[in-house]
Amino acid sequence: MVHRGKTRRFATALGVGAVIAGVLSGCALFGGAQPTPTGARHTTHSATPTPKRTSDTATGAVGSATPSAAPVPPATLTPVAAGTVVAQGDVASPKGSIHFHYRIVSNGNNTYTAEYSGFTSSVPVPVSVTLLEIPPSVGDGLTFHGVGDHPLGGPTTAGASSSALLGDVGQPSYLGTLVTYSAAASADGVPQELGPDKVLAVNSIHWSVPVRESNVHPVDGGARQGATGTVSSTTASGAPKRYAIAPGDNPTDVAARFGIPVEYLLWLNPDLPGDGGNQFLYASTSLNLDPDSL
């Protein structure tokens, strides 16, 4: 799955936490007791609050994800029905030399097909299209070819049609821009503005993606020990969408706050650092609580 710009990076926080923990190692922080080494993994969650290390307070918390006592049904997310058109529009380059229509259609399995029709071009080089999260400007040079990179062809008045399979993009609406660019093989003998990877047109994609059904339905039960952060955004229906992690939070208590098994919290956040149910939460980062955002 492609995750949006996905938004979900923990490497910096982990590095900072490791440095602070190294400085504090060997210090008796709690009545002479030595602190648990940074990165230590707990297999159970104590009912008695564990004192927070200084390093935890500064950078977040190290917490375990205690498995649910009873079997948990697998989390599900129903794909958008096959044949559903989730975006479409017309493209015209600023100088009017390139025209085509596009539409993006669900394949029913979290993949989509981008269909291009009526393509005409009077520029003397072949052109391609791609979908990007962050829009460039006309005249920029592409350094990343995004998702669904696809050649439209060279100069033509025939109104050509073609299509490109997008990978498993899950919720595709994070790809907000359709970029048309020069696919010239070389800059030799080509005007600078038509050189390889030069952006020729930038169009915003207006998505209309139906909400995908899921058996995961977080509901905020209110702050509690081990889950004192805040809901930072909600869905259109008012359900919690993002949760801002507070120092001392741990996966088990955060899951309990939102009324879901910890297994579902980890499913909603597959990029959490850690493994085997021993995931790390760090303050000033956030958790996804919306299945449709996957």
Side-chain angles (χ1 to χ4, degrees):
M1 175 179 296
V2 176
H3 296 285
R4 288 38 103 202
K6 54 358 228 228
T7 37
R8 306 167 179 164
R9 299 290 182 268
F10 298 90
T12 301
L14 283 170
V16 173
V19 172
I20 296 174
V23 173
L24 296 177
S25 62
C27 296
L29 297 184
F30 310 118
Q34 295 298 317
T36 304
T38 297
R41 296 178 176 179
H42 312 285
T43 56
T44 60
H45 176 65
S46 172
T48 303
T50 302
K52 303 298 183 293
R53 300 191 301 277
T54 302
S55 58
D56 285 348
T57 302
T59 61
V62 179
S64 66
T66 305
S68 301
V72 176
T76 61
L77 184 61
T78 303
V80 174
T84 303
V85 177
V86 296
Q88 62 180 321
D90 294 301
V91 171
S93 61
K95 294 184 178 181
S97 52
I98 299 171
H99 292 84
F100 61 90
H101 178 79
Y102 72 89
R103 71 175 198 160
I104 300 175
V105 183
S106 171
N107 298 317
N109 59 357
N110 283 327
T111 68
Y112 296 82
T113 295
E115 301 175 344
Y116 303 101
S117 60
F119 169 69
T120 62
S121 173
S122 60
V123 297
V125 297
V127 299
S128 293
V129 289
T130 190
L131 283 72
L132 293 175
E133 180 177 4
I134 300 174
S137 298
V138 172
D140 287 350
L142 284 185
T143 58
F144 172 61
H145 282 194
V147 174
D149 191 46
H150 176 68
L152 291 177
T156 180
T157 59
S161 297
S162 60
S163 63
L165 177 66
L166 308 185
D168 186 354
V169 295
Q171 170 53 265
S173 58
Y174 77 99
L175 297 166
T177 307
L178 182 70
V179 177
T180 307
Y181 67 94
S182 167
S186 169
D188 294 341
V190 175
Q192 183 176 359
E193 65 273 16
L194 296 178
D197 291 329
K198 284 291 186 179
V199 174
L200 305 177
V202 178
N203 292 82
S204 295
I205 301 176
H206 301 290
W207 295 95
S208 181
V209 185
V211 175
R212 293 171 292 168
E213 296 298 323
S214 174
N215 64 343
V216 179
H217 303 287
V219 176
D220 190 3
R224 63 195 65 192
Q225 177 69 32
T228 60
T230 59
V231 174
S232 56
S233 64
T234 59
T235 66
S237 66
K241 183 173 184 178
R242 302 291 304 181
Y243 171 79
I245 299 168
D249 281 1
N250 68 78
T252 298
D253 287 330
V254 171
R257 169 173 172 171
F258 291 98
I260 58 175
V262 71
E263 290 86 352
Y264 288 178
L265 184 71
L266 301 185
W267 175 76
L268 287 164
N269 297 274
D271 295 330
L272 278 179
D275 59 75
N278 295 284
Q279 269 64 28
F280 297 75
L281 302 184
Y282 286 88
S284 301
T285 61
S286 66
L287 294 173
N288 172 50
L289 296 172
D290 176 29
D292 196 47
S293 293
L294 291 174

